Amino acid sequence: MFKRAGVLILLTIAVSVLVAQTPNWDDTIMTELTDTQVNKSINHGCIFIDENDQIHVVYLENRREDNDDEKLLFYTVRDSMNVWSRPDIINDAGLYFNRPNVIKNPVTGELEVFGDIEGVLHRITKEDNEWRGREIELDFPVYGVNTAIDQDGYVHIVGVIQSEDRANQIVYLTDFEGELSYSIIRESVPVDRLDNVRAVIDLSDDGIAVIGYVGRRDLSQAYIAQNNEQGGHEWSHQVTQIPEQTAQVFNLLVRNNIIHLISSGMMYWPGTNRLFYQYRSLEQDRWSETVLTNEGNSSVMPSMAFDGRDRLHILAKEVMMNIFTGNIKYITNSNPEEEWEVSRPFDEDYDWEWPQLVIDSQDNFQMLVIKKTEADKEIVHIGVPLETPLPTPQNLIAESHENKITLKWDEPDLSSPILPELSGYDIQRRFDDEQEFEVINTEIIEETYYIDEELHPGQYSYYVTAIFEDESSEASNIVNVILKDHLPMPEFKPEPKKYLEPVKVEIICPIDKGVIYYTTDGSLPDSSAKNYNEPIILFEDTKIKAVSYHHEYLTSEVAAAFYVIKDLSAQDGSIPEATKFLPVHPNPFNPYTNLSYSLAEQTPVKLEVFNIRGEKIDLLVDEVQAPGDYSIVWRGLDSSNRSMPSGVYYFRLITDNLIRYRRAVMIK
């Protein structure tokens, strides 16, 4: 009837990324599933959630009537309206159904319950709303079965063989090839008591079976067996150390091809049971470091589950010096390398046992717990919603230019199926450290960038929040930006104009610590230009361009000055043939321009500047001049050295026999 396969050996490690979610214990809903009017005791229970978030529960009830024990296996289900069905009796009374496992076949949609009754493997199925049970014939007794079903509907079972000639053997069974086939995972586990031998099973997405069981407890060893293909009987084995003297494998999960293992260990008897967590990948051969999940009071009977964002959650029975306290510990962590969070959220008025945890598709806790009272034990379902923090915008950066700051960020992680719709973003800004953050956008920002304009110099801080319908996320990272003021332009002394001999020019920075860069070839100055540190002596016509620089300011605009050097001693004595007022150049200009004229004879000269309204704003020349060519620079200032605005300006030259106007435009 059975095909026996050979046995082999193998192993592996990996890292999982966990994201924070926390249960809202204040919104706990507790439902007692058993009849409180019946004198009874609950021994075991099992909880399962299907793809429709229906919760299926099977529990073993030991009823005591007229000194007779009646052992009944019950099934109940909670529908989409959160209503529990009336419990069905699904086994023959009087038979002790050890550790029932409930699963749902993803191919047929049928519910199946597995367990052993005094060493005989039983399978109960629900077909056409009717429960049917049958024995599975084996040539050996099997106890403590643990069952899993893969996505193709094949069943995988692990248990312990106990007989006179076959003690403490770990056996694996599967119906992958139609009929049940089996292989012996471990010939003998060297322990002295049956209840110390326990094996657990879980499956990868591809149906690879992973089985965990204790090795030698006195050597602090646990074993992981893994087959290489779905339903296969070629096994690899790996031993991992548990840092306690007496150790036991309690729970195992395979998620995203990573094996997660929780073991319980005790250094001495009686002593403190502590929970240890390890993980590795299916493909590698090295385990992570063993992490202690709980300090202080110890824990046993752990149950673990992952939420939709890969955060690990653990429930465990609390023990103090080998005595049950009645409390349940909740243990969790977003990152196994960091400290674990431990709390006691259950009502301490009761004595709780055998917590089992599963998490539905909406990331709500669904727990099955045995509540012990003075009279009996009840099976209780506890529902707790998980609070999912709204995800925050990521990687906020800021860029400044002139008087505006551009913000850019990445959208939040929207992978969770239970998030409300993302509406947009709010921008929070603070000016200088003394002020509070405030929202600066008048409407919700739908893009992942924002330009803050018309800002004054100073330090600005920003963060972004995501708006989900009427709720706001926590803040993104904060960015700080210093918006610098422009330095004033450098000043030239003496003023730019025509000189009859070489001239010494100083370039003055408007602040003491500033640096001046300048050029004399007409090119624009930058940090690679000449660094001004002493006066410049000009022997010929020269156009100087300069900028002011200081690290606390923005570099100034370019200042330009044109110096005309006319050495009369070098003239050939020629006299212009006529008196002329030459065109202004450059035109347009900013803020300097040259005014040039020629005199054919000695004459009184006036050179005046008018604005577009006809108002005289400066008198550049008012003297008698000899015949010759002249040039003077107007620096865009009035007679009081005030800077003039952009606009049209007129220049009038008056001599004894000439009155002439020139027009020019200043553009800043």
Side-chain angles (χ1 to χ4, degrees):
M1 171 178 278
F2 293 99
K3 293 172 283 183
R4 177 164 180 171
V7 183
L8 196 115
I9 301 187
L10 182 153
L11 299 189
T12 33
I13 191 167
V15 175
S16 69
V17 178
L18 307 176
V19 181
Q21 287 183 300
T22 55
N24 183 0
W25 299 104
D26 292 336
D27 289 344
T28 296
I29 299 176
M30 184 183 303
T31 306
E32 293 187 356
L33 304 181
T34 48
D35 187 351
T36 58
Q37 304 301 315
V38 177
N39 185 17
K40 64 188 176 306
S41 178
I42 303 299
N43 290 313
H44 290 288
C46 179
I47 185 170
F48 166 76
I49 294 182
D50 65 21
E51 69 280 2
N52 300 316
D53 277 348
Q54 282 192 322
I55 304 173
H56 306 266
V57 170
V58 171
Y59 59 91
L60 184 64
E61 183 176 300
N62 187 15
R63 294 189 175 183
R64 297 180 293 275
E65 295 182 3
D66 300 328
N67 298 321
D68 291 330
D69 285 351
E70 190 176 27
K71 302 175 178 63
L72 301 175
L73 191 63
F74 284 89
Y75 164 80
T76 182
V77 61
R78 194 188 75 173
D79 60 22
S80 58
M81 302 300 292
N82 297 331
V83 177
W84 287 93
S85 68
R86 182 180 179 84
D88 290 338
I89 298 175
I90 63 174
N91 75 316
D92 295 328
L95 298 178
Y96 184 82
F97 205 94
N98 186 32
R99 291 183 180 174
N101 296 193
V102 59
I103 56 178
K104 185 176 183 180
N105 192 308
V107 177
T108 65
E110 296 175 352
L111 287 172
E112 303 183 29
V113 179
F114 288 84
D116 64 275
I117 299 177
E118 297 179 352
V120 178
L121 183 61
H122 280 248
R123 182 177 195 168
I124 303 175
T125 59
K126 188 176 185 181
E127 303 171 14
D128 300 326
N129 292 322
E130 192 171 321
W131 292 96
R132 295 183 175 90
R134 65 183 180 91
E135 295 182 7
I136 300 176
E137 294 185 16
L138 302 172
D139 57 2
F140 48 80
V142 61
Y143 297 87
V145 298
N146 194 241
T147 310
I149 192 165
D150 63 33
Q151 59 187 3
D152 298 318
Y154 298 114
V155 175
H156 306 259
I157 302 172
V158 64
V160 181
I161 298 176
Q162 285 287 339
S163 63
E164 292 182 1
D165 57 339
R166 304 174 69 173
N168 299 339
Q169 291 183 341
I170 308 296
V171 63
Y172 163 77
L173 306 98
T174 180
D175 63 356
F176 181 74
E177 296 180 358
E179 295 181 346
L180 272 179
S181 60
Y182 77 93
S183 54
I184 301 300
I185 303 298
R186 173 98 176 182
E187 287 293 341
S188 179
V189 179
V191 293
D192 54 354
R193 291 167 52 191
L194 171 60
D195 58 3
N196 285 336
V197 183
R198 185 173 189 269
V200 290
I201 187 171
D202 201 23
L203 306 173
S204 71
D205 294 338
D206 299 326
I208 302 300
V210 180
I211 296 171
Y213 58 97
V214 68
R216 289 199 55 176
R217 298 183 68 198
D218 57 338
L219 296 180
S220 305
Q221 293 177 342
Y223 281 88
I224 297 295
Q226 174 183 326
N227 59 16
N228 298 319
E229 59 183 16
Q230 182 183 18
H233 290 283
E234 295 289 326
W235 294 94
S236 61
H237 295 258
Q238 185 182 26
V239 65
T240 178
Q241 295 296 127
I242 302 173
E244 299 290 12
Q245 190 173 23
T246 57
Q248 187 162 356
V249 173
F250 255 100
N251 216 321
L252 177 147
L253 280 179
V254 181
R255 183 177 176 89
N256 300 327
N257 287 330
I258 297 175
I259 304 171
H260 303 266
L261 176 67
I262 290 185
S263 305
S264 176
M266 184 184 298
M267 282 299 294
Y268 52 86
W269 181 266
T272 299
N273 283 279
R274 301 194 294 174
L275 296 184
F276 296 93
Y277 168 76
Q278 298 169 274
Y279 62 89
R280 72 166 174 85
S281 76
L282 286 172
E283 292 79 15
Q284 299 178 0
D285 59 0
R286 184 170 58 88
W287 286 89
S288 69
E289 291 186 7
T290 303
V291 178
L292 175 65
T293 66
N294 62 316
E295 296 286 356
N297 292 353
S298 61
S299 303
V300 294
M301 308 176 188
S303 175
M304 65 176 168
F306 284 91
D307 62 33
R309 307 187 71 169
D310 284 338
R311 182 182 176 104
L312 177 61
H313 305 268
I314 301 171
L315 291 180
K317 172 80 171 179
E318 184 179 69
V319 182
M320 183 182 295
M321 294 303 294
N322 203 37
I323 299 174
F324 290 143
T325 66
N327 293 330
I328 297 292
K329 279 187 178 179
Y330 167 63
I331 306 169
T332 188
N333 203 328
S334 297
N335 183 348
E337 309 301 328
E338 298 177 356
E339 184 176 354
W340 291 69
E341 303 169 25
V342 180
S343 60
R344 296 173 179 81
F346 280 50
D347 189 340
E348 297 186 6
D349 291 338
Y350 300 103
D351 188 354
W352 303 96
E353 290 183 354
W354 290 107
Q356 295 182 57
L357 171 65
V358 290
I359 298 177
D360 63 25
S361 64
Q362 299 300 308
D363 274 350
N364 298 311
F365 275 23
Q366 307 296 344
M367 296 174 287
L368 192 68
V369 188
I370 294 176
K371 184 180 73 172
K372 186 178 180 181
T373 64
E374 292 183 1
D376 52 21
K377 295 181 180 180
E378 306 289 346
I379 195 81
V380 175
H381 167 261
I382 299 176
V384 182
L386 266 184
E387 290 186 338
T388 304
L390 295 174
T392 60
Q394 303 293 311
N395 305 318
L396 176 63
I397 60 173
E399 300 173 351
S400 63
H401 180 70
E402 300 294 337
N403 65 339
K404 63 183 179 182
I405 295 174
T406 301
L407 303 171
K408 299 178 182 178
W409 61 90
D410 296 333
E411 69 175 15
D413 178 10
L414 303 177
S415 59
S416 173
I418 63 174
L419 285 175
E421 182 178 356
L422 176 65
S423 303
Y425 306 93
D426 275 341
I427 313 297
Q428 299 270 354
R429 182 185 70 191
R430 179 179 66 194
F431 180 71
D432 291 335
D433 291 337
E434 291 77 18
Q435 297 187 6
E436 299 293 331
F437 278 99
E438 60 181 4
V439 178
I440 59 174
N441 51 293
T442 56
E443 297 181 354
I444 291 179
I445 307 299
E446 297 183 354
E447 299 82 10
T448 55
Y449 68 89
Y450 180 80
I451 301 175
D452 198 9
E453 300 182 283
E454 299 181 2
L455 301 173
H456 298 290
Q459 178 171 314
Y460 292 85
S461 300
Y462 297 89
Y463 67 80
V464 181
T465 57
I467 307 301
F468 293 87
E469 296 178 355
D470 295 330
E471 297 183 80
S472 179
S473 73
E474 295 296 319
S476 70
N477 58 298
I478 296 177
V479 292
N480 300 303
V481 185
I482 296 178
L483 204 60
K484 299 179 180 179
D485 198 2
H486 272 285
L487 277 174
M489 292 186 297
E491 299 174 353
F492 300 94
K493 289 186 178 181
E495 64 177 325
K497 64 179 183 179
K498 180 178 180 180
Y499 290 90
L500 302 180
E501 57 185 4
V503 63
K504 182 187 292 186
V505 177
E506 292 183 78
I507 309 176
I508 301 171
C509 183
I511 63 172
D512 294 339
K513 297 181 180 179
V515 177
I516 292 177
Y517 297 104
Y518 74 97
T519 63
T520 56
D521 59 3
S523 63
L524 292 175
D526 55 25
S527 58
S528 64
K530 298 176 183 177
N531 186 350
Y532 175 82
N533 49 36
E534 60 181 0
I536 308 166
I537 301 177
L538 304 179
F539 296 93
E540 58 184 0
D541 294 356
T542 304
K543 187 169 188 178
I544 304 175
K545 293 183 177 180
V547 292
S548 303
Y549 170 81
H550 190 272
H551 68 277
E552 295 179 357
Y553 296 84
L554 294 175
T555 302
S556 73
E557 296 181 359
V558 177
F562 185 61
Y563 288 87
V564 177
I565 310 301
K566 192 87 170 179
D567 190 352
L568 294 180
S569 63
Q571 291 188 9
D572 57 5
S574 60
I575 297 176
E577 296 180 355
T579 298
K580 300 177 181 179
F581 190 15
L582 302 177
V584 177
H585 70 278
N587 187 11
F589 64 94
N590 176 28
Y592 302 100
T593 189
N594 295 298
L595 309 173
S596 300
Y597 56 93
S598 300
L599 300 178
E601 59 186 10
Q602 180 172 306
T603 178
V605 177
K606 282 189 178 182
L607 184 56
E608 301 165 314
V609 184
F610 297 84
N611 61 25
I612 195 171
R613 295 188 295 273
E615 299 169 339
K616 184 166 72 173
I617 60 173
D618 202 4
L619 177 62
L620 303 179
V621 178
D622 186 13
E623 63 182 10
V624 176
Q625 293 182 333
D629 297 319
Y630 294 86
S631 180
I632 189 169
V633 175
W634 184 55
R635 300 170 58 204
L637 305 175
D638 65 6
S639 58
S640 300
N641 281 329
R642 292 176 298 193
S643 179
M644 294 290 99
S646 299
V648 177
Y649 293 86
Y650 294 90
F651 306 90
R652 181 170 68 181
L653 178 69
I654 302 175
T655 67
D656 280 346
N657 56 10
L658 179 70
I659 299 177
R660 180 64 57 85
Y661 289 87
R662 292 294 181 186
R663 178 180 180 275
V665 179
M666 180 163 60
I667 301 177
K668 290 188 175 180

